[in-house]
Amino acid sequence: MEIFPNNSTCLELTIAVPGFNSSQPFPSSGEISGGGAMKALDINQAPSGTEEECMEEEEEDDESPNNNNNGGPAPRKKLRLTKEQSRVLEETFIQNHTLNPKEKEALAVELKLKPRQVEVWFQNRRARSKMKLMEMEYEYLKKLSGTLTEQNRRLKKEVEELRALTVAPPHSRQPMPSSTITMCPCCERVTTTTALDKGPATSTSAAAATSAAKMSFLQQRQPSATCYN
DNA sequence: ATAAAACGAGACCTTACGTCA
DNA sequence: CCTGACGTAAGGTCTCGTTTT
């Protein structure tokens, strides 16, 4: 599973979620049209009989038992979409995360729902997708944080070892300034320039060998001498 | 041409209902 | 049967882009 593109500089995430095309996160339909009056509609209807049956009788729900309680606020009834309705909505969502008014209307007719219901379903579906994406993003960043912490720990240890190796014995040489060992934050290359160029300052051959090995290791880590970042 | 009002749509937050353990 | 957790449909509000005045 591909998480971040290598050159990503923002939190744009590309995660393959089953049934969800993340390469087109939330495309705007770009369509402006009427239809705002749908907001006031009460689309609740009384569930009578089976799930399937209750969906068959749309368009007459304004007189449903929900509204028969003498002027008081009608108790909200939970509508459950049928499996088939959910399947069609899901398939449509995979193709496009937003619907223009025509598509919404057509889908509503096909599913025997009201356009407002289709609209709400898509709103909630987008929200769920986003939440799932954010959860995955959170998990990824948590792992990344752990990895970087561990890497940081190792590099600090490495720097300490290098300092110990490159600092001369007390009587033979001045201690090396700490600024001579640096690490480029962008390419993670350790740069040791000043004193090391003059060769190992240790007096014993064993220490010299160790130092040479370290230098060899470092040179492997930094194939080019200069970082232009 | 520009600013302000109006409008529409999506995002976001919240509530309420149905289901299940 | 009761209860709490969870999923989800839907209501309300906010924000932003576009159109109209």
Side-chain angles (χ1 to χ4, degrees):
Chain A
M1 173 169 57
E2 176 185 334
I3 306 290
F4 277 133
N6 287 338
N7 58 350
S8 175
T9 55
C10 62
L11 286 181
E12 190 175 2
L13 197 56
T14 310
I15 298 173
V17 177
F20 171 52
N21 180 7
S22 61
S23 65
Q24 193 186 26
F26 302 108
S28 169
S29 65
E31 304 258 345
I32 306 288
S33 79
M38 299 302 296
K39 203 167 191 170
L41 288 176
D42 176 15
I43 69 169
N44 292 326
Q45 50 186 320
S48 60
T50 66
E51 263 187 343
E52 279 73 17
E53 285 165 359
C54 86
M55 300 312 305
E56 301 292 327
E57 48 187 69
E58 46 91 39
E59 295 301 336
E60 48 193 72
D61 52 337
D62 287 347
E63 303 302 324
S64 71
N66 293 328
N67 304 332
N68 64 355
N69 53 342
N70 299 338
R76 218 153 87 181
K77 275 290 181 177
K78 178 91 169 180
L79 165 89
R80 301 295 297 189
L81 300 175
T82 66
K83 284 180 181 170
E84 177 64 11
Q85 285 170 327
S86 295
R87 185 188 64 76
V88 174
L89 286 166
E90 194 67 42
E91 284 178 359
T92 311
F93 181 81
I94 290 170
Q95 292 163 12
N96 198 356
H97 291 184
T98 54
L99 295 176
N100 62 39
K102 273 189 176 179
E103 292 169 332
K104 188 198 301 177
E105 185 67 39
L107 199 54
V109 168
E110 179 187 349
L111 298 176
K112 295 180 177 175
L113 293 171
K114 293 183 175 175
R116 169 64 180 160
Q117 287 176 292
V118 174
E119 179 182 311
V120 165
W121 188 91
F122 268 75
Q123 282 174 1
N124 289 318
R125 185 64 179 79
R126 281 192 295 269
R128 285 195 290 275
S129 285
K130 189 174 183 180
M131 195 169 74
K132 187 177 268 183
L133 211 58
M134 288 175 75
E135 283 172 1
M136 296 174 77
E137 185 179 323
Y138 168 74
E139 289 301 322
Y140 169 76
L141 290 174
K142 205 164 75 173
K143 278 185 185 168
L144 184 64
S145 171
T147 303
L148 290 174
T149 301
E150 172 62 16
Q151 190 177 18
N152 187 34
R153 189 193 63 76
R154 278 191 286 104
L155 288 170
K156 278 182 177 172
K157 188 179 172 189
E158 189 176 306
V159 167
E160 286 305 313
E161 288 173 2
L162 278 171
R163 281 194 177 133
L165 286 171
T166 53
V167 167
H171 297 100
S172 65
R173 186 184 277 230
Q174 294 284 341
M176 217 173 189
S178 60
S179 61
T180 53
I181 301 176
T182 58
M183 188 181 76
C184 175
C186 53
C187 62
E188 295 179 6
R189 285 175 188 150
V190 177
T191 308
T192 57
T193 49
T194 45
L196 280 178
D197 294 338
K198 299 170 186 173
T202 51
S203 55
T204 66
S205 59
T210 310
S211 181
K214 200 74 182 179
M215 286 302 296
S216 168
F217 171 74
L218 282 177
Q219 279 159 4
Q220 283 175 8
R221 285 180 59 91
Q222 44 181 7
S224 65
T226 311
C227 174
Y228 292 101
N229 295 337

